Amino acid sequence: MSKRHAMILAVGMLASASALAQTETVGQATPRPATAGTVPTAANPAHAAAPRTAAAPASTAESRSAAALAMTHEPTYDEGSAQRIRDAALSYSDLAVRGGWPSIPVDAKFAPGVQGTNDDLLRKRLILSGDLAADRASGAFDQDLADAVKRFQARHGLAPTGAMTPRTIVAMNVPVQKRVRQLEASLQRLENMNFAFGQRYVVVNIPAAFAEAVENDVVVRRYRVIVGKTEKPSPTLTTQISSVVLNPTWTVPASIARTEISAHMRKDPTYLSRMHMEVLDAHDNPIDPHSVDWSGTRTPSFTVRQQNGTFNALGAVKIDMPNAYSVYMHDTNQRNLFSDDYRFDSHGCSRIDNVRDLAAWLLKDQPKWSRAAIDAEIATGQHLEVAMAKKVPVAWIYLTAWMTKDQTIQFRNDVYNQDEQLLEATAEEAAFFSNAGSHPLTAHMHVMQ
C-alpha cells in the first residue's frame, strides 16, 4: 500500500462504522450534472447547465434508453477511472479535515421565491460540494438554488426535480467521511480488477442499475437494468460476450428448481405445464413431473427447462458471456419493472431494457444482423444462437462512487452493504502484516536472510 493510498484510507477511517446509511433512490436517471468536490475552476457549476425536468413522454424502452444516454456520454468505467477516484478521495479527505459540510434539518422547509430560515445553510452545503457557485452564498430559494439542487440530485441517483424532498435531505446529510469511504472502497475494487478495455466494451454498474455500451471511449448506448436482489446479489466479473441468443429457452438453475419451482409444484401440480416448462433427465429426456420429489429437501437430479416464447422468463433475447457464476444478460417478460427506480429484483443475472437495441449494437459488425433482421428473426419464434464474429469485453462492476472525465463525482447507495466489508477486510489485512513484521519469528527469519 502506497503512502498516498494509506493517507486516503486513514482519513476515510475517521467515519464511524455506524455512519448514516444512504437512502437514496438508486438507479434513477441522472442527467449530466455540474462538477462537484474540489475541482478546477473551469468546471465550476456556475458554467454548467442544470438538468432539465421537462414533462416526460410515455415510458417506453426506446424513450428510457434515449433519456439514459442523454445524461452524459462519459463512461462510468474507463482506463482513467482509478486515478480520478483517487483524486476525488483526496479532495473529499481535504474537505473532511476542514470540517465537512453542514447538516440540513430534516424538518426544514423550502419554497421558491420565499426567504426561508435554512436557505443560506442549504447554499453553504451545495457550495461545499461544488453544486452551487461560491458567489451565490445568500438569498431566497431562487432558480440558481433550484438548479444546484438538481445537480446534487442528479449526482446521487435522485430524480432531478430541484425540490428539497426528504430523500434529498437525507442524501445531503451523509457525512463527507462516509463519502470518502465510498470512494476508497470503489478505488480498492478497481485496483483489483484486470479488465481488457477494447475499442468496444460493455459495463454494468450494479449499484447504479445501468448498463453502458462504450465505443472509442464514448458511451453510445445506455440502458436501465434490473440486477440481483440484496439476498441474491449480482457478482462482479470481467469476461467477453460470445453470442446473442434469439428466442432463448431458459434452463432453470438448480437452486431455483429446488426452492421456488418445488414450492409452486407442491401448491399447484399444473404449474409446470402452465409455465411451458418440462422436466428433463441427465440426457435431456423428458420426465413425468408427477414422478419427481418436489419436497425441496434435496438438490434436484433433473433439469427444468422453459420453452421459448412470450411467456419465457428470458424474454426474446439472451446475451451469453461465459463466466464462473453462470450469469448473463437478457430480456424479460416483465418489462414494466424497468420503469421503477429501485431495480434490484433478479436472482443475479442482469435484465436489460431495450435489449434488442443492445443486441443490434453488439452485432453491428455482422451486416446480416441489423435491428430489423433481429426483429424479424424473433418474430419467427425459432430458437437461434448468433455467435459473435468478434467478442466484446464486458465488466460487471460495483462502484458506489466514481468520477467521470468531466470531473463529475457520482454517488449511489451501497445496496449490498459491501463497502464497509471491503474496507474492514483491507484494514485487517494491513494490521496482520504490520504485526507480522514485528513478530519474533518473523524478525529472526529476517536476520537469517
Side-chain angles (χ1 to χ4, degrees):
M1 182 181 297
S2 68
K3 292 182 178 179
R4 190 181 189 193
H5 193 174
M7 186 275 287
I8 298 173
L9 183 58
V11 175
M13 291 295 183
L14 292 172
S16 166
S18 61
L20 178 64
Q22 300 171 69
T23 59
E24 300 145 25
T25 301
V26 183
Q28 174 65 39
T30 54
R32 182 172 182 169
T35 300
T38 306
V39 294
T41 303
N44 190 290
H47 303 294
R52 296 183 178 180
T53 53
S59 182
T60 65
E62 289 74 18
S63 68
R64 288 190 296 267
S65 56
L69 183 60
M71 298 187 294
T72 176
H73 290 275
E74 301 287 359
T76 295
Y77 180 39
D78 59 35
E79 291 182 283
S81 291
Q83 182 58 53
R84 290 195 301 272
I85 293 174
R86 187 177 292 109
D87 293 341
L90 288 170
S91 173
Y92 270 49
S93 295
D94 179 65
L95 182 57
V97 170
R98 292 187 282 114
W101 45 62
S103 294
I104 307 299
V106 294
D107 58 351
K109 305 298 181 184
F110 300 93
V114 178
Q115 181 71 56
T117 56
N118 292 292
D119 288 353
D120 287 356
L121 184 67
L122 175 60
R123 288 177 178 276
K124 180 178 180 181
R125 168 65 182 85
L126 293 169
I127 288 171
L128 284 170
S129 57
D131 296 294
L132 180 65
D135 61 356
R136 299 290 188 270
S138 62
F141 198 105
D142 57 10
Q143 190 59 50
D144 283 342
L145 187 53
D147 286 346
V149 172
K150 290 179 184 179
R151 293 185 186 102
F152 176 89
Q153 291 168 327
R155 294 192 304 106
H156 293 76
L158 298 164
T161 62
M164 286 295 291
T165 63
R167 283 176 174 161
T168 302
I169 293 177
V170 169
M172 285 188 180
N173 288 343
V174 173
V176 67
Q177 293 91 344
K178 174 77 173 181
R179 297 307 191 194
V180 171
R181 292 181 71 81
Q182 287 184 261
L183 288 160
E184 176 63 19
S186 294
L187 177 60
Q188 291 266 1
R189 291 189 181 94
L190 292 192
E191 288 183 336
N192 291 323
M193 288 185 69
N194 183 24
F195 183 54
F197 292 97
Q199 179 185 1
R200 304 169 71 219
Y201 63 93
V202 174
V203 170
V204 174
N205 187 15
I206 297 166
F210 274 100
E212 295 175 349
V214 183
E215 189 167 0
N216 296 321
D217 297 322
V218 174
V219 177
V220 294
R221 302 281 195 283
R222 184 178 285 110
Y223 311 96
R224 288 179 165 224
V225 301
I226 297 168
V227 289
K229 302 175 181 179
T230 54
E231 66 272 22
K232 300 179 185 296
S234 294
T236 55
L237 57 86
T238 59
T239 183
Q240 292 185 317
I241 295 171
S242 58
S243 65
V244 174
V245 184
L246 307 180
N247 296 313
T249 59
W250 178 40
T251 300
V252 181
S255 60
I256 297 178
R258 182 177 65 251
T259 55
E260 299 179 30
I261 300 295
S262 293
H264 283 300
M265 285 299 289
R266 290 195 297 271
K267 294 179 181 178
D268 176 15
T270 68
Y271 176 78
L272 285 179
S273 60
R274 287 192 299 101
M275 299 302 293
H276 304 271
M277 291 178 172
E278 56 185 346
V279 184
L280 307 171
D281 64 16
H283 302 288
D284 273 1
N285 297 314
I287 300 175
D288 181 358
H290 299 290
S291 67
V292 173
D293 176 11
W294 297 110
S295 65
T297 58
R298 63 184 67 179
T299 300
S301 58
F302 54 83
T303 297
V304 176
R305 183 173 300 156
Q306 187 177 43
Q307 301 165 17
N308 61 288
T310 56
F311 43 78
N312 189 280
L314 303 189
V317 178
K318 174 187 176 185
I319 297 173
D320 260 334
M321 36 178 278
N323 61 88
Y325 305 95
S326 299
V327 293
Y328 41 83
M329 299 183 288
H330 64 90
D331 188 15
T332 178
N333 58 3
Q334 296 178 296
R335 297 188 180 93
N336 59 298
L337 297 178
F338 290 116
S339 297
D340 294 341
D341 290 326
Y342 186 87
R343 297 190 298 279
F344 301 88
D345 195 44
S346 81
H347 287 77
C349 288
S350 179
R351 307 175 200 169
I352 308 292
D353 196 13
N354 202 13
V355 70
R356 298 189 191 192
D357 184 70
L358 175 58
W361 180 79
L362 289 170
L363 297 172
K364 63 181 289 188
D365 293 336
Q366 297 167 248
K368 175 182 178 181
W369 292 110
S370 64
R371 172 60 189 270
I374 290 172
D375 289 342
E377 185 63 35
I378 290 172
T380 69
Q382 298 299 308
H383 174 91
L384 179 67
E385 181 172 340
V386 182
M388 298 283 294
K390 184 177 182 181
K391 296 178 181 179
V392 174
V394 58
W396 289 15
I397 59 178
Y398 193 90
L399 299 185
T400 63
W402 69 95
M403 183 164 72
T404 48
K405 285 183 288 188
D406 62 358
Q407 304 292 296
T408 299
I409 304 176
Q410 297 267 354
F411 294 100
R412 294 297 183 274
N413 194 21
D414 182 11
V415 288
Y416 297 158
N417 294 318
Q418 292 183 357
D419 283 355
E420 287 299 326
Q421 297 174 29
L422 175 63
L423 293 178
E424 287 172 5
T426 302
E428 289 175 2
E429 181 183 21
F432 171 81
F433 285 109
S434 176
N435 293 333
S438 58
H439 191 279
L441 178 60
T442 306
H444 175 71
M445 293 174 65
H446 180 70
V447 171
M448 293 290 289
Q449 291 179 349

